[in-house]
Amino acid sequence: PTLVCLGLLIAIAAATLGAYGMRHWSAAAWAVGRAAAQLAALSLVLSGVIGELPWVWAALGVMLTAAVLTTARRLRAGARMVPWIAASMTFGAGTVLAAVFLTGAIQPAPQNVLATGGIIIGSTMTVATLTGRRYRSSLVARRPEVEGWLALGAAPRQSTL
């Protein structure tokens, strides 16, 4: 039933895109296929990881690395900004995970650590991306003020604060 439903939804998406004259009406099917392959590979990896807590923490490290690189790409951050993004995201996610597990709010069983850690890392990526975009747009909007501070002798950090 799941595959029939999935096939029906793909057909509806492709038909709708085709009806609106989209040249790449088959993109929906390819996207679903790619997502299914990625999820299948991920489920294989996670099923091997879920048994041991050290492997779960290693998987979270990989997730955090991917989140940092995705955030840096979305922000079009240069290489010298990546360590700062990594530090802030690690500190943010680490603080929440430490509070949750060290207080006993959630038991640190492997499946709990993996699920909670994945959710926290995903949220951290979203917050870091939105914060970076907001910071950049604020600098663009207040460029004359920043340049004024620089002209008065303020350091770059002072002028952006």
Side-chain angles (χ1 to χ4, degrees), residues 83-151:
W84 292 103
I85 293 170
S88 65
M89 289 178 67
T90 301
F91 181 76
T95 301
V96 173
L97 290 173
V100 166
F101 292 118
L102 293 177
T103 63
I106 298 177
Q107 294 302 313
Q111 66 273 17
N112 295 344
V113 173
L114 186 62
T116 305
I119 291 166
I120 298 302
I121 289 169
S123 298
T124 302
M125 180 178 68
T126 301
V127 168
T129 300
L130 292 174
T131 301
R133 287 178 178 166
R134 175 71 178 140
Y135 178 72
R136 179 170 287 155
S137 69
S138 178
L139 284 179
V140 169
R142 298 178 70 180
R143 183 178 178 158
E145 185 179 343
V146 172
E147 288 180 352
W149 278 101
L150 288 169

Side-chain angles (χ1 to χ4, degrees):
T2 303
L3 291 177
V4 171
C5 178
L6 185 59
L8 177 63
L9 291 173
I10 291 170
I12 290 170
T16 303
L17 292 171
Y20 280 96
M22 302 299 286
R23 285 187 288 151
H24 302 290
W25 57 269
S26 63
W30 284 109
V32 170
R34 188 179 70 237
Q38 289 172 343
L39 289 174
L42 182 62
S43 68
L44 283 174
V45 170
L46 293 181
S47 66
V49 164
I50 199 74
E52 298 291 329
L53 201 52
W55 285 110
V56 169
W57 285 109
L60 288 177
V62 171
M63 287 182 200
L64 181 62
T65 301
V68 166
L69 295 175
T70 300
T71 299
R73 181 180 45 80
R74 289 178 178 171
L75 295 176
R76 292 184 220 109
R80 72 181 186 128
M81 287 304 298
V82 173
W84 292 103
I85 293 170
S88 65
M89 289 178 67
T90 301
F91 181 76
T95 301
V96 173
L97 290 173
V100 166
F101 292 118
L102 293 177
T103 63
I106 298 177
Q107 294 302 313
Q111 66 273 17
N112 295 344
V113 173
L114 186 62
T116 305
I119 291 166
I120 298 302
I121 289 169
S123 298
T124 302
M125 180 178 68
T126 301
V127 168
T129 300
L130 292 174
T131 301
R133 287 178 178 166
R134 175 71 178 140
Y135 178 72
R136 179 170 287 155
S137 69
S138 178
L139 284 179
V140 169
R142 298 178 70 180
R143 183 178 178 158
E145 185 179 343
V146 172
E147 288 180 352
W149 278 101
L150 288 169
L152 290 171
R157 181 176 170 84
Q158 292 172 316
S159 67
T160 58
L161 287 174

